[in-house]
Amino acid sequence: MSTRTAVVTGASSGIGAATARKLAEAGYRVVLTARRAERVEALAAELTAAGREAVAHPLDVTDRQAVDAFAASLDRCDVLVNNAGGAFGLDPVAEGDPADWRAMYEVNVLGVLHVTQALLPALKGSGDGTVVVLSSTAGLGTYEGGGGYVAAKHGAHALTETLRLELCGAPVRVVEVAPGMVRTDEFSLTRFRGDQERADAVYAGVADPLTAEDVADTVAWAVTRPSHVNIDLLVVRPRAQASNTKVHREPR
Ligand code: 8X3
């Protein structure tokens, strides 16, 4: 019998890469997917060199045909971590670019839909499957400028809640992890299209934003609970953040 297998999307950096590391440490064979082939290949090689089981598979979750081909190539899937996603822009609704909104819906909602649909037969067939959706606190409440990202993450949250209802009775858990402020190399840089100063300002004066490892820890914890324990929704924020809009910043 092959090792229990966890597929992680968006595993090239940040929360996805950290989660892949944690699940590999927990004994899973990890399948790392992301658009950037060289990144997931490097991480898979690093994990393999450390004695873990890891393979890389370049994948764009918005490409349904590619997702279906990927699913067909897997011999088993016990855990799916839907992590691929992101924010583009911080514009008010009045000014947001519909192309950004569309792109955010594509990756944060349809990406989750594609991969989950494609892997559900394998997850059910495992007899003990787990689907994790990395949503966001932006999926549970709004904030000014959040616009398209907030809408998309609410979509991911709704998808997750609906799926849990529909799978009740099947041997598949549906877990949502909703992180607040996490400082990763790329989230804010992507949101601000490479503007490092604006990206850094998001975390200015915040004592300890969460790290990718902090979030990965919560995902690995939820996944490694006994099979009958379903962590429906886990909201995780840094201590300095009490809500989407209340953040304590130390004066400089
Ligand atoms: C990231 C959290 O506050 O930038 O998903 O929307 S936030």
Side-chain angles (χ1 to χ4, degrees):
M1 221 20 209
S2 54
T3 318
R4 279 171 66 77
T5 297
V7 171
V8 181
T9 68
S12 50
S13 68
I15 295 170
T19 299
R21 287 178 197 279
K22 293 269 183 209
L23 293 179
E25 267 168 41
Y28 284 89
R29 170 177 178 264
V30 288
V31 181
L32 314 174
T33 76
R35 284 174 306 176
R36 291 175 296 185
E38 69 295 347
R39 292 259 195 145
V40 279
E41 278 157 11
L43 180 52
E46 181 202 315
L47 291 170
T48 305
R52 316 286 185 208
E53 280 190 75
V55 290
H57 192 114
L59 183 68
D60 177 351
V61 296
T62 67
D63 178 345
R64 184 53 190 255
Q65 274 191 338
V67 169
D68 286 340
F70 164 66
S73 77
L74 285 179
D75 62 348
R76 67 181 287 175
C77 179
D78 303 271
V79 175
L80 163 62
V81 181
N82 285 294
N83 164 74
F88 313 123
L90 189 68
D91 307 306
V93 172
E95 288 147 31
D97 183 344
D100 283 340
W101 282 59
R102 195 169 293 116
M104 286 189 276
Y105 195 83
E106 287 274 347
V107 66
N108 292 293
V109 186
L110 294 180
V112 175
L113 179 71
H114 291 159
V115 184
T116 304
Q117 282 184 340
L119 293 182
L120 256 187
L123 287 157
K124 284 182 181 165
S126 75
D128 182 13
T130 305
V131 178
V132 180
V133 176
L134 257 306
S135 61
S136 167
T137 47
L140 308 171
T142 64
Y143 58 91
E144 288 155 285
Y149 182 64
V150 162
K153 286 298 191 183
H154 274 68
H157 171 66
L159 181 160
T160 309
E161 297 256 290
T162 308
L163 181 67
R164 190 178 307 112
L165 294 174
E166 292 168 353
L167 289 182
C168 186
V172 181
R173 297 180 294 176
V174 180
V175 174
E176 177 175 358
V177 175
M181 182 184 279
V182 187
R183 185 167 200 163
T184 61
D185 292 339
E186 296 188 332
F187 177 80
S188 291
L189 205 55
T190 303
R191 167 169 256 176
F192 297 118
R193 302 175 219 284
D195 184 335
Q196 189 72 58
E197 221 169 292
R198 281 190 82 189
D200 290 345
V202 171
Y203 313 101
V206 179
D208 279 310
L210 296 178
T211 63
E213 289 69 32
D214 293 328
V215 180
D217 227 16
T218 68
V219 175
W221 176 77
V223 167
T224 56
R225 292 314 84 209
S227 330
H228 65 289
V229 178
N230 196 113
I231 306 300
D232 284 8
L233 171 63
L234 195 155
V235 178
V236 53
R237 302 182 197 266
R239 190 175 58 191
Q241 184 186 36
S243 80
N244 289 4
T245 51
K246 184 166 176 68
V247 178
H248 177 72
R249 296 180 196 272
E250 298 291 340
R252 299 240 135 179

